[in-house]
Amino acid sequence: MLFAALDRRAYDPGMAIDLEQLAIVHYPHDVLRQMAAPIAEVTDEIKSVAAKMIELMHQAPGVGLAAPQVGLPWRMFVANPTGEAGDDRVYINPQLSGAAGGSAARDEGCLSLPGITVEVTRPTEITIRAINLEGEAFEDSGDDLIARIWQHEYDHLDGVLIIDKMSPMDRMANRRAIKELEEAK
Ligand code: ZN
């Protein structure tokens, strides 16, 4: 059931989504901690939401945005490592596999965690399988930035945030920014 896991404070499943109301939500919004639900079918609504997410990603600007970050606990994210319009990609019900190439530690930010940077260690190469907006399954392999984006956005679908991966030093460096977000809720 597509809407079973929706956060009612973020979205009433009885109502159509108002695209104009979709906006990036910040930690500690509850939807960011939910396990997102698979998308049963690529409907016109899903396509409209994906287009709006791409728009919000570019506006931010960012290189990736997951549906929970706009208040919708759906297994979908968008990514664009270059910022060029032709490089927009949509990944529905993604699965990651084939981690390779060793691991690398890089600073990551998150549109739902403004002002916060965390050094995250991730595999440098990964394979993704997902559904596109035509409802077709596809597979892609990537390394470096795109591999990192896929893993970061995938984490969002499981309710995982970069602040879960902080070293003691990152925890200290980000303490004030996290507290300010928590107090702004
Ligand atoms: Zn993020």
Side-chain angles (χ1 to χ4, degrees):
M1 177 63 188
L2 176 54
F3 299 122
L6 282 176
D7 176 357
R8 283 168 189 275
R9 277 174 298 174
Y11 168 63
D12 178 348
M15 289 170 60
I17 292 170
D18 182 351
L19 291 174
E20 294 306 312
Q21 295 296 316
L22 281 192
I24 296 173
V25 301
H26 291 166
Y27 170 85
H29 195 298
D30 292 343
V31 71
L32 294 171
R33 290 308 198 178
Q34 288 184 30
M35 180 69 74
I39 288 175
E41 191 188 348
V42 183
T43 60
D44 287 346
E45 183 171 62
I46 298 288
K47 292 178 190 177
S48 303
V49 168
K52 180 71 184 184
M53 285 172 58
I54 287 171
E55 191 186 315
L56 291 170
M57 171 179 69
H58 285 293
Q59 267 171 18
V63 292
L65 187 66
Q69 293 183 275
V70 296
L72 301 169
W74 301 351
R75 301 193 81 80
M76 171 167 79
F77 63 74
V78 299
N80 185 325
T82 67
E84 305 286 333
D87 290 334
D88 292 329
R89 294 287 181 276
V90 178
Y91 304 87
I92 296 167
N93 299 341
Q95 288 183 297
L96 299 178
S97 64
S103 295
R106 296 272 184 279
D107 281 347
E108 292 184 21
C110 179
L111 296 178
S112 294
L113 289 156
I116 290 168
T117 303
V118 176
E119 188 181 68
V120 183
T121 300
R122 302 191 190 270
T124 55
E125 298 173 28
I126 201 100
T127 296
I128 191 165
R129 287 186 190 81
I131 308 289
N132 64 22
L133 284 183
E134 283 70 53
E136 300 157 342
F138 69 98
E139 183 180 310
D140 199 1
S141 292
D143 57 12
D144 296 330
L145 179 59
I146 190 66
R148 182 166 294 271
I149 296 169
W150 289 341
Q151 292 172 82
H152 177 115
E153 301 310 330
Y154 185 91
D155 277 349
H156 276 297
L157 309 185
D158 287 345
V160 174
L161 299 171
I162 54 173
I163 51 172
D164 304 337
K165 301 171 186 282
M166 290 188 293
S167 65
M169 228 160 73
D170 278 337
R171 198 169 296 280
M172 263 173 43
N174 290 309
R175 201 164 58 107
R176 183 189 294 265
I178 292 171
K179 193 159 174 268
E180 281 173 6
L181 284 171
E182 287 170 346
E183 285 169 353
K185 192 185 182 182

